[in-house]
Structure formats: structure tokens, C-alpha cells
Amino acid sequence: MNQKNSLKEENKQEERIDVGGDQVSEFVQDDSVDFKGRPSVKATSGRWRAAYFIMGTELLERCAYYAISLNLVVYLVEVLHQGTGQSVKNIFNWGGVSWILPLLGGFLADAYTGKYRMIVIGLCIYFLGLLFLTLAVSLPSMKPPQQPACASSENCEFFSATQTQIGFFYFALYLVSVGVGAVKPCLSALGGDQFDEDDKIERPSKRSFFNYWWFPIIGGSTIALTLLVYVEDHVSFGLGYGIPTAGLAIAILVFLSGTPWYRLQRVLQGSPLTQVAQVLTAAVLNFRVAVPTDPSLLHETDMQKQTKKNLKRRHLLHTDSLRFLDKAAVPRNWKEEDQHPDYSTKVSPDIERRSSSSTLSNVSTSKSSPWRLCTVTQVEEVKLLVRVMPIWVFTLMFVVVVSQASSFFVSTGKTMDLSMGPHFKISAASMDLVANITALLMILVYQFCFIPLARRFTGNERGISMLQRIGVGLVISIIAMIVAAVVERKRLQLIKIHGLQNNRTAPVPMSIFWLTPQYSILGLAQVFSYLGLLEFFYDQAPDGMHSIGSALFASNTGVAHFLCTAIVDIVTSASGSQSGSGHHQSWIVNDINKCHVDKYYWTLAALSAINFCIYLVVAHWYTYKKVQVHEDDAESKKVVLQLTNEPNWLVEA
């Protein structure tokens, strides 16, 4: 009976419906299934209807995350009485862990659980962490007693938090990190899976999805900045954390409500790490074998005879980079005289597309061990992972710059005039709302004005390539640091003029809205680089590893947080001592009014400029993923080739 039902399902996949004279598949072409494991019906699954549930979950999740992160420095300094430098490092370390754990979550999702199950597990852990965190900031026994004033650091030591209080607080905080690690790499990847890359109608929507993905992020952070941060500063941290805890419970319900409409990707059998290890092992074992110049002589499976477990894996075209790895796809009994005599290593895409799908007819490969012989697609997938790593490394400085908005920008803003009219004061952390508003407006400008205009000149469906988009954001982030340094220099001059170096309570006679330009410029930079990186790592990830691709994006942010900590430590120790004075005093000390954060900003601007120069070289030599297509319609084939052969940084198609 089960065999009969299985055959029935396979026959259903071959069904076609007539639309305008064309034969169109009733089911999604990327082998998606619904929550019961049945093939996803194109008309009733996925697309924006399913994406809205995922985006709603992201909005509430980001609301919870930013309610903690944006004002965490205030809690650590004013409630737990940690120094400014130590608090900033603790924030960077927590952020680093929160953004590195997605690597583990993405791997487990792609190898074992699937994105859907991993999201459900992560949301439950996330909720538990928020619940403990709310208790930690609410119960009097879990925090040090309040004090009326703290004009000097000597009075703060007596009221320091106990080890138990600190331990429980950070346990809850890092439990939230575990939840973030499970949810973060899978939500955006699952959202992208709701649009079929092989469908020429859904393909543009998939491109737009990653631009619009910023909307729930902005929405969540805006709620946190305008409501929750205000509640934390003027009511209590307990209520400020309790509201997003309830919000995350609602997020779980929202996500589960969309289950009937989700398109879910089958989990590929075997760990992605095992596949990488097989390619590396086969390449080493075949290190004496010469690689044929004709890629059709490399081993590849027939797309028409793929098994059910790898049905969704599209073939990748051979590329000339990292030629050593090609040894993994050379059959052991291949002979050099078998290759075409007039074949050049530089072949046209048309010839390569026809040849790369063929198999070596005169060589038996059916009984070869996967540890001795791999397919071209497997090799190219490993090449993809290797090629994206330099991009990953040389975009770290961008995240370092953006991270200043939730650390030093807030610390300096707290000392300034927070008045917004005669009767209202805003929270320093709420200034990040300026970046959000800028980003929101620029996303619309980018989507509806910039892309159509740029497309006329470049012929690229995205307007400009993904690496070009990221590079523009890197340049804008350098400008943001220069502006921040100039504004901070102005603040320090006013502190010196009014003798506020030793006064931690009196505000600097300088409006906090002086920080508006640097926040706004950072918001613009994120529209280019942040969203560009998100799409880049998802798009360039091998089929079946999109969660890992999104995790690479998240881990980029995580490692950058640790890099922030390292830079702060180096600057602190290299610029002087904590107890020194004048030229012998460190740029970063516990009292923000005695810091030279302007010099720290100039240092970041210089490092970012050097990083950008290296990025230009790396981006120029990057080779984009090339997917083999099988379409009879010449017009459709032309469109697909434009998408799968993305131009390099300095070379337009």
C-alpha cells in the first residue's frame, strides 16, 4: 500500500497544467514539500502569503533582541555598576556569541532538523531566556540595591552586584544567545525558500524579499527604541523586558499559524561537512592526477537520473578557479588522450553548459567511493564555500563600525542634553531610530528608483552586483566614522570649556541631536552593505546549505563583535594607562567624559579605509556561482543566465 502511494506521489509530480498555451508544472520545481511531506502546490503555497508569517515572526523577535541590546550598556553601568570600558567589552562579547552561534544552528538545520523545526526549537529556548532575564532585572534579590547618586566611582564599589546576581543575569543573557543562534540563520533562509528560483514569475519576488527583509528588522528595533527603551529608562527594566517576552510568545503563535502555507526544503542526506571532507580527501588522494582541460571529462551525475535524496540539488557549472579541487572529480582511469584535442581552458558559457552535463562514457564511475571520486557539483560547492570566505573576512570592519551605534554612541549620548522640547527627554539609545528611518526611506528609494535606473546602464537585474552594493556600503561607513569623530571632538571641547571632566551627573551643553548625521549615515550604509551581505551569502550558498549561508552572514557579525573587543583592548593598552593623566592617559577609561573616543573613531576610519582597499582586490577576483539550466524557451534561458552569471566588481555583463 505504501509503495502504491509512493508511486502515486511520483506521478503527481509529473502533472502539468495549461497556462496561456504553455505547459506549467502544478508543483514547485525546487522539490519543496509541505509540512506533511507532500510536494508543494505552486498556487496554494509559499510566496508572499507564507513570507508574511515569517516576517511577522522576525519583527517580534527583533523587537525582543533590540529591547535588550540597545540599552544593555545602561543597565550594566547604572544598575550592575560596571565601568564603561568593561561594559562595552561585555556587550561585544555577548553580541559575538549571539551572532556566531547561528553557524551551529544553520549546520544542524541543514544537516538534521530542517529550518522549520530549528526555528520552533530556537523560539522556545529564546522565550525561556527572556523569561529568566526578566526575573533577573525584576527581583530585588537579583540586583544590587539602588543608590541616590554616584558622582564619583568610589561610592559605586559598595553597591556592586554579587557573583550570584551577575551569574544569573549572564546565564539568562547567554540563553537568549542560544535562541538567537537557532532562529537567526533559518528565518531569512526559510523566507527565501518561499519563492521558486526556477520560476520566472517568482524569481523577481525573491530578489525583492531580501530588500524588504529589513522592514521587520526596522519595525522591531523601532518599537524597542520608541517604547521599550523609554520604559526601561523611566519605568523599570522589568517591564521593559517583560513586554518583549510576551511579544516573543506571540511570535511563536504567529510562526506556527503559517505552517500550512510554508514551502519546506527536504534535508539532504548526509552532513554538509561530510561532503566537504569527501571533496578535500578525494583531491588529496588524487594529487598526482592531471586535471583535464575539458570539463566534460570530469565526473558528473545525469540530472535526469537523480535520486530522490538529491532531487533539489541543481548542477553547478565548472569554474577555472581553485583547480586543485578539480582533482576530486577526475576518474581514476582517465587518460590524457581522452580529452578533446582542440579544447581550450577558456571556454564559452554555451559550450561549458552543454559539456558539463555530460558524463564520461568510456570510464566506469558507478562503483567509485565518494571519498575517491566526487561530482563537479560537489567540487563547485566546496569552491563556493572557499571563495566566500575572503569576502566574509574583509566585511568584518563594516560590522565593527555599525556596532559603535549600540555602544560608544549610546555612552556619549547619555552625557549630552537629552531635551526634546521643554518637557520631554528622549533616551540616548533611541537615537538609533534615526538610522532606522533613514534605512526605511532608502530601501524604498533603492527598490523603486535606484535599481531601475542602474539597470539601464548595467543590464544587471539587481541594478548593480551584490559585491558592488556591499562595497558602496563600506565607503559610506568610513564617512560615518569621520563624522562621528568630528562630533565627538566638539563634545570633548565643551566638556573642557565647562569643566565637566570630573562631573558625571551634569549634562554636556550640547544637544544629543548632534549625533543625527552619524546615525543617519550608518543607516544608509546598512541598506547597501547589510542587505547586500544577507543576499550574497544566501545566494552564493550551495543548494541545501542556505541556512549555513545565512549563518555565515550572522557569524560575520559575531566575529566582528569579538574584533570590537580586541580593538578596544589594543587601543586601551596602546594609548596609555587607566590611571594616567594628560598624554599618558588611555583613550578609553571608565569615565566617558575623560575618554578620547574621537581618536578611537579616527582609528576605526583608518582601519576601514585599509580594509576597503583590500576588499576591492578580493571582490574583483571573485567568481559567482553558475547554475546549469535546462529550459527550452530561449527567452527564459537568457534571463536565467543573466542571474546565474553575476558580473564581478569591475566587470559588467
Side-chain angles (χ1 to χ4, degrees):
M1 189 62 150
N2 291 335
Q3 185 177 3
K4 183 177 180 180
N5 291 336
S6 177
L7 291 172
K8 185 177 180 181
E9 288 295 333
E10 290 180 7
N11 291 333
K12 285 178 68 178
Q13 294 188 42
E14 299 300 323
E15 293 181 10
R16 297 288 185 270
I17 57 176
D18 236 358
V19 179
D22 295 330
Q23 296 295 317
V24 181
S25 175
E26 179 185 355
F27 299 100
V28 179
Q29 300 175 40
D30 61 2
D31 197 36
S32 296
V33 297
D34 63 13
F35 69 104
K36 293 184 178 180
R38 301 169 301 191
S40 295
V41 179
K42 183 176 296 186
T44 60
S45 68
R47 296 192 249 193
W48 287 109
R49 176 169 53 182
Y52 288 145
F53 287 97
I54 299 171
M55 295 173 78
T57 305
E58 174 73 2
L59 184 148
L60 294 169
E61 184 274 326
R62 288 292 87 186
C63 178
Y65 180 82
Y66 286 122
I68 299 170
S69 64
L70 290 175
N71 216 25
L72 184 58
V73 65
V74 175
Y75 187 84
L76 296 181
V77 173
E78 297 187 356
V79 180
L80 295 185
H81 308 311
Q82 296 182 349
T84 300
Q86 184 62 42
S87 297
V88 169
K89 287 192 290 184
N90 286 338
I91 292 170
F92 285 151
N93 290 336
W94 171 69
V97 172
S98 298
W99 290 92
I100 284 181
L101 281 177
L103 275 177
L104 177 61
F107 167 75
L108 293 176
D110 284 340
Y112 303 105
T113 66
K115 303 179 188 72
Y116 177 85
R117 290 188 180 89
M118 182 56 65
I119 292 171
V120 174
I121 294 171
L123 287 174
C124 293
I125 296 174
Y126 206 143
F127 175 77
L128 192 62
L130 283 176
L131 188 62
F132 287 159
L133 198 61
T134 302
L135 294 175
V137 301
S138 301
L139 298 177
S141 59
M142 288 292 104
K143 55 184 178 179
Q146 297 298 308
Q147 52 196 18
C150 185
S152 60
S153 59
E154 290 80 7
N155 297 331
C156 296
E157 187 65 27
F158 180 77
F159 298 103
S160 295
T162 65
Q163 291 299 316
T164 301
Q165 293 168 341
I166 294 176
F168 184 73
F169 177 81
Y170 279 106
F171 166 75
L173 196 63
Y174 279 92
L175 191 60
V176 170
S177 297
V178 175
V180 172
V183 172
K184 193 61 183 173
C186 299
L187 268 179
S188 60
L190 182 63
D193 290 346
Q194 303 312 304
F195 304 95
D196 188 357
E197 180 73 24
D198 296 327
D199 187 289
K200 57 184 178 182
I201 297 177
E202 294 187 19
R203 190 184 303 122
S205 296
K206 190 168 190 173
R207 301 284 181 262
S208 299
F209 170 80
F210 289 103
N211 284 331
Y212 293 139
W213 185 248
W214 190 250
F215 279 70
I217 296 175
I218 289 178
S221 61
T222 299
I223 295 172
L225 288 167
T226 56
L227 174 63
L228 300 180
V229 169
Y230 181 84
V231 171
E232 291 165 6
D233 284 347
H234 296 88
V235 182
S236 69
F237 275 91
L239 183 59
Y241 285 6
I243 294 174
T245 301
L248 196 71
I250 297 174
I252 297 175
L253 297 178
V254 170
F255 181 76
L256 293 177
S257 299
T259 300
W261 294 280
Y262 294 148
R263 294 175 181 174
L264 307 177
Q265 297 291 330
R266 291 193 179 104
V267 179
L268 288 177
Q269 294 185 5
S271 165
L273 293 182
T274 300
Q275 298 174 32
V276 172
Q278 288 174 342
V279 171
L280 296 178
T281 302
V284 171
L285 293 177
N286 295 339
F287 76 100
R288 294 182 182 276
V289 177
V291 178
T293 55
D294 183 351
S296 68
L297 299 179
L298 299 175
H299 174 53
E300 183 60 281
T301 58
D302 189 344
M303 291 188 71
Q304 304 301 324
K305 298 180 180 180
Q306 294 191 80
T307 61
K308 185 176 181 180
K309 71 176 182 179
N310 62 9
L311 183 61
K312 69 176 180 178
R313 176 175 290 177
R314 298 172 295 175
H315 280 182
L316 299 181
L317 300 181
H318 175 265
T319 59
D320 288 333
S321 62
L322 302 171
R323 295 276 292 175
F324 172 77
L325 295 177
D326 289 338
K327 294 177 181 291
V330 178
R332 295 184 63 186
N333 53 343
W334 170 80
K335 298 179 181 180
E336 190 169 358
E337 56 268 21
D338 291 331
Q339 74 177 348
H340 302 164
D342 298 326
Y343 197 92
S344 170
T345 57
K346 298 292 184 180
V347 296
S348 68
D350 291 335
I351 297 176
E352 187 175 344
R353 192 181 316 112
R354 290 194 299 268
S355 62
S356 63
S357 62
S358 62
T359 55
L360 192 60
S361 58
N362 61 336
V363 176
S364 176
T365 61
S366 59
K367 297 182 180 180
S368 298
S369 167
W371 295 91
R372 295 301 300 260
L373 180 64
C374 303
T375 65
V376 171
T377 294
Q378 287 177 289
V379 173
E380 290 300 320
E381 288 177 345
V382 175
K383 287 183 181 182
L384 282 174
L385 296 177
V386 174
R387 285 198 296 260
V388 300
M389 291 314 297
I391 303 297
W392 183 90
V393 170
F394 292 107
T395 52
L396 289 174
M397 276 306 302
F398 169 77
V399 185
V400 169
V401 169
V402 172
S403 299
Q404 307 311 310
S406 60
S407 53
F408 281 108
F409 284 12
V410 177
S411 295
T412 56
K414 287 283 292 184
T415 69
M416 303 170 76
D417 182 6
L418 303 177
S419 299
M420 187 177 179
H423 306 295
F424 184 77
K425 291 186 177 181
I426 68 170
S427 169
S430 295
M431 284 300 296
D432 202 44
L433 185 62
V434 174
N436 288 350
I437 294 174
T438 302
L440 180 63
L441 295 175
M442 289 309 303
I443 287 174
L444 298 175
V445 172
Y446 189 91
Q447 180 71 27
F448 296 107
C449 299
F450 179 80
I451 291 179
L453 181 62
R455 190 182 294 147
R456 295 181 182 180
F457 297 96
T458 65
N460 190 310
E461 189 182 54
R462 293 183 173 93
I464 56 177
S465 70
M466 290 179 285
L467 292 180
Q468 288 173 327
R469 180 176 184 175
I470 295 168
V472 171
L474 296 184
V475 174
I476 297 174
S477 69
I478 298 173
I479 298 173
M481 279 295 94
I482 294 174
V483 172
V486 173
V487 173
E488 175 62 12
R489 183 61 183 168
K490 174 70 174 179
R491 189 186 74 91
L492 293 176
Q493 289 174 347
L494 289 175
I495 289 175
K496 186 175 181 180
I497 291 173
H498 294 277
L500 300 175
Q501 294 92 333
N502 298 313
N503 192 334
R504 297 179 59 178
T505 57
V508 179
M510 180 180 181
S511 174
I512 192 173
F513 292 103
W514 274 81
L515 302 182
T516 299
Q518 62 204 58
Y519 274 106
S520 183
I521 296 171
L522 275 184
L524 178 61
Q526 290 179 75
V527 171
F528 283 90
S529 284
Y530 185 93
L531 295 181
L533 284 168
L534 176 62
E535 183 180 6
F536 173 79
F537 285 118
Y538 176 90
D539 183 84
Q540 295 299 293
D543 287 350
M545 299 187 195
H546 285 149
S547 293
I548 293 179
S550 297
L552 281 174
F553 162 75
S555 66
N556 180 274
T557 303
V559 172
H561 277 77
F562 288 120
L563 183 58
C564 286
T565 302
I567 293 175
V568 169
D569 285 337
I570 293 172
V571 170
T572 300
S573 59
S575 58
S577 64
Q578 289 281 333
S579 58
S581 60
H583 295 294
H584 300 287
Q585 179 181 289
S586 175
W587 292 353
I588 301 175
V589 294
N590 289 334
D591 190 341
I592 194 65
N593 284 352
K594 296 180 181 180
C595 292
H596 289 280
V597 183
D598 58 327
K599 297 179 180 179
Y600 170 71
Y601 290 157
W602 281 115
T603 302
L604 293 182
L607 292 174
S608 297
I610 296 172
N611 175 81
F612 175 70
C613 293
I614 303 175
Y615 172 84
L616 281 178
V617 177
V618 171
H620 176 67
W621 291 107
Y622 184 81
T623 303
Y624 284 88
K625 177 170 70 174
K626 298 179 180 180
V627 180
Q628 182 177 345
V629 293
H630 286 282
E631 295 191 35
D632 296 329
D633 182 55
E635 182 98 20
S636 299
K637 182 177 291 187
K638 181 179 179 182
V639 173
V640 173
L641 288 177
Q642 288 178 350
L643 293 175
T644 57
N645 292 280
E646 181 84 23
N648 280 351
W649 170 260
L650 297 176
V651 182
E652 292 295 339

